[in-house]
Amino acid sequence: MAASNAGRHPQNVGCRTLSLSAHVGFDSLPDQLVRKSIKHGFCFNILCIGETGIGKSALMSSLFNTNFDNSPSTHFLSSVRLRTQTYELQESNVLLKLTIVKTLGFGDQVNKADSYQPIVDYVDAQFEAYLEEELKVIRSLFSYHDTRIHVCLYFISPTGRSLKTIDLLTMRNLDSKVNIIPVIGKADSISKTELQEFKKKIMSELVSNGIRIYQFPTDDETVSGINTMTNGYLPFAVVGSMEKVKVGNKMVRARQYPWGIVKVENESHCDTIKLRRMLCTNMEDLREKTRAYYESYRCCRLEKLGCRDIGPENKSISLQEVVEAKRLEFCLEKEEKEKKIKQQFMQKVNKKAAVLEEAEQQVLTKFERLMLTHQEEKLKLGEKKKILEDEIAQFIEKKAITESILSQVSVSTPVVSLKTQGLQKNQDFQPEVQCFCVRDEGTVNVGEQSERESEKEKLEKENSSREFQE
Ligand code: GTP
Ligand code: MG
């Protein structure tokens, strides 16, 4: 029996549809899946981006109706950081492994140009970790804790004006990697009419800046109505609270003010409950879209590694061929690199050798110069020595003459001989002076003579000390 292809899954186009004559039992397949999923549990990862104190922790606690750890972060961080916390939540018999990643110090730096970078890096790192697990020879994806971000709640400050540059920059850098849902934090601080205007402004700014945000799917008939309506509420105006307030005889999560109470779960007060409902009903779609983002990341990474599905002539190529081609490419690249490194090494060695040679030359010339100066000095010293030797010879000659004169004088005059005894003590006494003394000795009386003698002795002493110094 041939059947029309209309309304069929694309995979089944071309197949014949037959109706069974009796029950077989494969209609229990969905139940099997449900049982397996319940047993394994679900995992969901939320990234909260927003300024310090915008209400990230309060909203998370309000969304999941539990009080998570809420240690406030400081305003004085030098760069944006991320804090990851994983919880296991159970509702009925369904287990949810929830990971909440929150920014710390977002928007607190003077230079906010790179504030988005740590967030982008984090999202990529989760994709990379999953890819690594996937490429392992022995992999365990079933038990692997998938940390890929399924949804990003972007907190906008309730200024009532427009988006800040940091908001536009961050969302633009993330919109191809995660499902972004913009929310207006602390929405109770803005009036109802202002809020509507603010929402419109934000949406038009996002469109004009080409930023894609998550749209709740409208192709599924069961949720298309509510999703179309909810898309109109974007960005959600959220209010969070860690406290419960008694209203009537019920405890409700709310914020109490002198003028009244803002109930977190009241749809006419804020959109928190709409956000919770949409997250829960579209969790699987969010996970599926995340897989699509991951696919494009994976594709880019594998292409960078040289992996392709289609060869040069548009033919499909096997993994083995890809690996072989890559191996060849790698070998060639390695050879090329080796050649380059060798060349660079030789260049460096030659350069070093030239420098050493030059230094050696410089040392040699310096040494030669020093040798020359040394020889010159030596020559000069030799000349000086010769002059001194001549002077000494002259002096000895003069001394001999003086001595001979003195000896002659001592023979002819006895008084003088007395005197010369004193003079002889000093051999170097000037002969002229001695001659003068000898000639005058005959005419002086004894008193004068002794005076002169003492003067002479003085002169002798002076002479001898001068010689000694010389
Ligand atoms: P950090 O983790 O330190 O960056 O702060 P946060 O973004 O987690 O903010 P948190 O939830 O700790 O709230 C900071 C302050 O704002 C607290 O005093 C909250 O009570 C208050 N707050 C939180 N949500 C709201 C809200 O929706 N409206 C108002 N008016 N105040 C809020
Ligand atoms: Mg917090």
Side-chain angles (χ1 to χ4, degrees):
M1 186 178 76
S4 89
N5 286 334
R8 287 217 199 153
H9 193 280
Q11 243 181 350
N12 301 339
V13 174
C15 294
R16 286 199 304 159
T17 306
L18 302 174
S19 49
L20 306 169
S21 51
H23 181 250
V24 176
F26 58 78
D27 59 351
S28 71
L29 271 176
D31 302 333
Q32 287 175 40
L33 265 182
V34 169
R35 274 201 302 278
K36 199 176 167 187
S37 299
I38 288 174
K39 197 175 164 204
H40 183 246
F42 296 84
C43 130
F44 195 64
N45 308 321
I46 304 180
L47 168 65
C48 296
I49 305 176
E51 290 171 12
T52 308
I54 188 80
K56 300 181 288 291
S57 303
L59 183 74
M60 283 300 108
S61 296
S62 306
L63 279 179
F64 291 93
N65 240 331
T66 179
N67 279 4
F68 298 120
D69 303 340
N70 181 30
S71 45
S73 72
T74 163
H75 277 283
F76 306 107
L77 291 176
S78 56
S79 60
V80 176
R81 290 183 207 159
L82 291 136
R83 184 196 283 159
T84 309
Q85 286 159 321
T86 302
Y87 306 91
E88 275 198 0
L89 309 177
Q90 191 164 0
E91 192 169 42
S92 309
N93 60 343
V94 178
L95 204 76
L96 180 70
K97 195 170 187 175
L98 177 73
T99 299
I100 300 173
V101 185
K102 280 182 255 181
T103 54
L104 304 180
F106 186 76
D108 286 341
Q109 293 74 39
V110 177
N111 183 359
K112 300 179 181 67
D114 290 333
S115 295
Y116 65 85
Q117 200 54 56
I119 308 167
V120 172
D121 292 346
Y122 178 86
V123 173
D124 281 344
Q126 309 322 303
F127 284 151
E128 188 63 31
Y130 192 85
L131 180 66
E132 270 175 26
E133 184 61 35
E134 213 181 45
L135 296 178
K136 273 184 186 170
V137 178
I138 301 166
R139 56 188 189 173
S140 48
L141 283 173
F142 189 69
S143 58
Y144 173 76
H145 179 202
D146 184 3
T147 52
R148 293 172 298 178
I149 299 296
H150 297 120
V151 67
C152 161
L153 296 181
Y154 192 91
F155 286 71
I156 298 162
S157 300
T159 56
R161 296 284 180 270
S162 59
L163 287 170
K164 297 176 188 168
T165 316
I166 186 174
D167 299 329
L168 294 170
L169 258 178
T170 310
M171 284 196 258
R172 192 184 296 155
N173 280 284
L174 280 169
D175 70 352
S176 58
K177 294 171 189 288
V178 281
N179 299 305
I180 300 174
I181 298 182
V183 296
I184 300 166
K186 296 187 176 180
D188 54 336
S189 61
I190 193 166
S191 79
K192 206 172 174 180
T193 43
E194 275 176 346
L195 185 66
Q196 291 318 311
E197 284 305 308
F198 191 36
K199 278 189 175 190
K200 273 188 212 156
K201 188 113 202 269
I202 290 169
M203 289 311 282
S204 78
E205 278 187 18
L206 289 175
V207 171
S208 62
N209 283 284
I211 295 165
R212 284 168 293 149
I213 57 165
Y214 177 73
Q215 293 289 316
F216 295 99
T218 49
D219 46 4
D220 185 348
E221 287 159 23
T222 48
V223 286
S224 69
I226 187 154
N227 279 5
T228 315
M229 204 168 70
T230 317
N231 279 333
Y233 288 118
L234 283 167
F236 293 117
V238 293
V239 173
S241 176
M242 305 291 272
E243 290 160 22
K244 288 198 170 178
V245 177
K246 193 164 186 182
V247 180
N249 53 0
K250 249 177 108 183
M251 292 298 282
V252 291
R253 204 172 271 272
R255 298 192 70 80
Q256 199 164 19
Y257 294 105
W259 38 262
I261 291 172
V262 178
K263 292 183 199 158
V264 170
E265 297 187 2
N266 188 328
E267 282 194 57
S268 60
H269 288 189
C270 64
D271 299 332
T272 306
I273 208 77
K274 287 191 189 85
L275 175 63
R276 181 199 283 169
R277 195 188 308 127
M278 294 322 288
L279 283 180
C280 289
T281 48
N282 295 288
M283 212 173 254
E284 201 38 49
D285 183 66
L286 286 163
R287 286 154 59 89
E288 209 177 293
K289 294 245 163 69
T290 304
R291 280 195 286 273
Y293 288 128
Y294 167 70
E295 282 306 315
S296 63
Y297 175 85
R298 181 180 172 275
C299 183
C300 284
R301 282 287 286 127
L302 292 183
E303 269 177 6
K304 259 189 207 164
L305 289 172
C307 301
R308 283 178 303 271
D309 293 333
I310 293 166
E313 284 151 19
N314 248 359
K315 273 191 209 160
S316 66
I317 48 172
S318 69
L319 185 67
Q320 202 178 341
E321 284 170 325
V322 169
V323 170
E324 189 54 30
K326 199 67 204 163
R327 200 183 62 79
L328 272 174
E329 199 182 301
F330 176 74
C331 284
L332 282 173
E333 216 171 88
K334 201 182 106 195
E335 267 174 33
E336 200 66 32
K337 263 191 187 164
E338 267 178 14
K339 227 189 238 173
K340 229 181 199 174
I341 290 169
K342 263 185 198 165
Q343 267 178 4
Q344 281 174 350
F345 178 73
M346 285 314 291
Q347 272 173 1
K348 272 187 188 169
V349 167
N350 287 342
K351 216 172 164 183
K352 273 255 158 75
V355 171
L356 276 174
E357 212 169 290
E358 200 178 314
E360 204 179 297
Q361 204 61 41
Q362 276 176 1
V363 169
L364 271 176
T365 45
K366 207 172 177 182
F367 180 72
E368 278 166 6
R369 258 207 317 269
L370 279 172
M371 283 295 287
L372 221 69
T373 351
H374 174 70
Q375 272 171 0
E376 276 171 14
E377 291 288 320
K378 211 172 161 185
L379 272 172
K380 273 183 198 168
L381 277 173
E383 276 168 19
K384 270 187 186 170
K385 192 182 166 193
K386 208 168 166 254
I387 293 167
L388 276 174
E389 278 170 358
D390 287 352
E391 276 178 6
I392 289 166
Q394 275 177 12
F395 175 76
I396 292 167
E397 206 176 306
K398 275 181 185 174
K399 191 182 159 193
I401 293 167
T402 314
E403 275 173 354
S404 73
I405 291 169
L406 277 174
S407 63
Q408 279 172 19
V409 171
S410 67
V411 170
S412 59
T413 322
V415 186
V416 173
S417 86
L418 271 171
K419 291 275 124 194
T420 48
Q421 275 172 7
L423 281 172
Q424 270 172 348
K425 279 181 194 169
N426 188 353
Q427 301 286 322
D428 303 332
F429 189 69
Q430 295 295 310
E432 284 87 355
V433 176
Q434 285 172 8
C435 287
F436 169 75
C437 293
V438 170
R439 271 198 300 275
D440 284 357
E441 282 312 330
T443 55
V444 291
N445 57 39
V446 180
E448 280 176 326
Q449 196 177 332
S450 64
E451 236 174 76
R452 282 188 185 170
E453 271 174 8
S454 66
E455 265 176 38
K456 264 185 190 173
E457 271 172 13
K458 221 170 149 186
L459 265 171
E460 277 169 21
K461 271 182 191 166
E462 272 176 23
N463 271 347
S464 66
S465 74
R466 202 184 306 146
E467 278 169 16
F468 180 72
Q469 278 173 5
E470 280 171 4

